Amino acid sequence: MTETLIRCPWPGTKDQIYLDYHDTEWGVPEYDPRALWEKLVLDGFQAGLSWITILKKREAFRAAFDGFDPEKVARYGDADRARLMANAGIVRSNAKIDMAINGARLWLDMREQGEDFSAFLWDFVDGAPIQNRWSAFQEVPVKTPQAEAMAKALKARGFKFTGPVIVYAFMQAVGMVDDHLTSCFRHGQCAHPAHA
């Protein structure tokens, strides 16, 4: 039955984990602050790699980073860094591991100052998904003014691996923009102006 579905071309047709990600997760609005931080961290780890590489390692990342609990990750020290660098199940990069630990501390700082990470991010799209109408994959931008503004704001707060291209991929993934092609069966299904 799934063979008859018309999808965006980027997941290909051979990898079920990629197809499932496209069909059930990519572009679905995410408002949970912790889940948004996890996705931002994983997109940072993706820098220079393909998303399928990270997706296949996602459960290993979750196990290695205590379920991306910012309170736990923020307390990581040298022993944790060494443990993570020895973990072949994740992408081993000192800079990216430090990005995750520092990001957890920044996330907690924002919360302690009364700032909601989700509201901070969603404000760049006025709180609701942008519904795009691309008919070809080549039309989809790699960055937008909103992504550039978000990247600048994240960098100003100290977040790393948050350039506008990474940030736009993040925005697509968490449903801030619906970039499913108009021919894709998921186009228009993901963008919900209100969250429950």
Side-chain angles (χ1 to χ4, degrees), residues 78-105:
D78 290 342
D80 294 292
R81 284 185 177 88
R83 169 182 61 82
L84 291 165
M85 281 300 291
N87 186 339
I90 66 169
V91 173
R92 294 178 286 183
S93 159
N94 278 314
K96 292 177 180 181
I97 289 168
D98 287 345
M99 166 270 297
I101 297 168
N102 182 58
R105 294 170 182 161

Side-chain angles (χ1 to χ4, degrees), residues 110-128:
M110 289 178 70
R111 189 180 71 180
E112 286 168 14
Q113 293 168 21
E115 283 188 276
D116 180 75
F117 191 64
S118 178
F120 165 73
L121 295 172
W122 276 93
D123 191 49
F124 290 94
V125 292
D126 296 326

Side-chain angles (χ1 to χ4, degrees), residues 167-182:
V167 166
Y168 193 65
F170 164 79
M171 293 173 74
Q172 292 171 311
V174 300
M176 292 179 182
V177 294
D178 181 355
D179 274 351
H180 286 284
L181 300 184
T182 54

